[in-house]
Amino acid sequence: MASTLRDPKDLLVDRAKRQMDDFFGDSGLTTRQKLALTCRIAHDGGHDSGLAGQISARGQKPGTYYTQRLGLGFDEVTEDNLLLVDEDLEVLEGEGMPNPANRFHSWIYREREDVNCIIHTHSLHTAALAMLEVPLVVSQMDTTPLYDDCAFLKEWPGVPVGNEEGEIISAALGDKRAIILAHHGQLATGATIEEACNLAMLIERAARLQLLAMAAGTIQPLDPELAREAHDWTSTDRRSKANFAYYARKALRNHPDCVNGQVAV
């Protein structure tokens, strides 16, 4: 006989959160492995734009972070060819040079101690939305992790290789986890690589949904209270880990060469 069918929603939410804590933990993957997998996930998820875009994650020492080597596409990144750089983009580990546009990552890491991973891409639908100078509109349940959590930079500051662009982009991001950069693309951040990866995948889907809805009619808003509830429910660390594990398993099936040896996720 069912015993929970008359339980209130808040009790069921707490129960589900406890269950997720029990069933979804850390994968045991290294930072390098997670970052390499994220590059492959992004490539397969529509974020490929030649050599454009950067993905990075903080290193163990303050003022350092891992990123991909300039000249490699997301589908060529492995745990072995990632670079470890400092805030001046000097290479500390690895061979090759980082993308000079990584400079604004240094600014974001300095401004946001809570951010441990940054994913910036020129994904197709976010770039199309950026061309219209239109902010992201969250009006569908799946995209609520981005509700009131995606900033918008309307003025394009130009090629982001100077410190000015780092100041502008980090200021526009503020305390949000993501941002649409007009005439440019998207940027997603996270306290973990898993969180940033999930948001990057989601923002591209949200932009695609928005463009489809705009072509069909007028987008109707979500109820703010319910949208905030959904944002918080879908933004937990355990949900990020569960989502990332699914994306990682798909990436490993398509690109088993991106990490060394057998890994379980």
Side-chain angles (χ1 to χ4, degrees), residues 78-252:
T78 70
E79 64 172 296
D80 292 329
N81 61 33
L82 285 164
L83 304 177
L84 180 67
V85 302
D86 63 18
E87 291 179 324
D88 295 316
L89 302 185
E90 294 293 331
V91 176
L92 305 175
E93 293 179 11
E95 296 181 359
M97 67 173 286
N99 190 330
N102 267 97
R103 180 167 296 276
F104 74 85
H105 291 231
S106 297
W107 280 90
I108 293 173
Y109 284 129
R110 279 204 159 200
E111 293 295 323
R112 293 280 300 276
E113 292 184 359
D114 61 311
V115 168
N116 290 304
C117 181
I118 298 169
I119 300 174
H120 166 60
T121 66
H122 302 176
S123 52
L124 186 65
H125 297 93
T126 52
L129 197 63
M131 291 169 64
L132 300 173
E133 294 186 355
V134 172
L136 189 73
V137 176
V138 175
S139 185
Q140 193 270 335
M141 184 177 68
D142 296 345
T143 63
T144 52
L146 293 162
Y147 183 81
D148 197 27
D149 215 351
C150 184
F152 178 62
L153 176 59
K154 185 174 182 179
E155 302 297 327
W156 180 50
V159 178
V161 297
N163 289 311
E164 297 86 351
E165 290 79 23
E167 292 179 291
I168 292 168
I169 293 171
S170 61
L173 177 64
D175 62 355
K176 308 295 187 186
R177 293 189 295 172
I179 187 171
I180 295 289
L181 306 170
H183 307 285
H184 194 168
Q186 70 82 32
L187 184 145
T189 70
T192 64
I193 295 173
E194 292 94 329
E195 180 182 26
C197 178
N198 293 332
L199 289 176
M201 294 291 285
L202 192 58
I203 198 171
E204 168 62 6
R205 176 175 172 80
R208 183 182 182 188
L209 282 171
Q210 182 171 337
L211 290 167
L212 288 169
M214 288 167 60
T218 302
I219 297 175
Q220 302 301 313
L222 291 172
D223 176 276
E225 184 177 351
L226 294 177
R228 283 190 289 270
E229 177 190 58
H231 169 278
D232 295 346
W233 165 248
T234 54
S235 297
T236 63
D237 178 64
R238 287 297 188 264
R239 286 186 69 92
S240 290
K241 285 182 168 60
N243 286 333
F244 180 83
Y246 166 63
Y247 290 136
R249 288 194 298 272
K250 288 207 302 182
L252 285 169

Side-chain angles (χ1 to χ4, degrees), residues 26-76:
D26 189 77
S27 63
L29 297 170
T30 67
T31 296
R32 283 179 174 271
Q33 289 173 333
K34 290 178 183 179
L35 209 56
L37 283 165
T38 296
C39 287
R40 303 304 181 99
I41 291 166
H43 176 272
D44 293 349
H47 290 259
D48 176 50
S49 184
L51 300 181
Q54 317 90 35
I55 297 178
S56 68
R58 286 191 194 267
Q60 291 183 333
K61 293 184 178 180
T64 68
Y65 55 91
Y66 294 98
T67 190
Q68 81 269 31
R69 187 173 75 205
L70 183 64
L72 295 180
F74 287 158
D75 59 328
E76 297 179 303

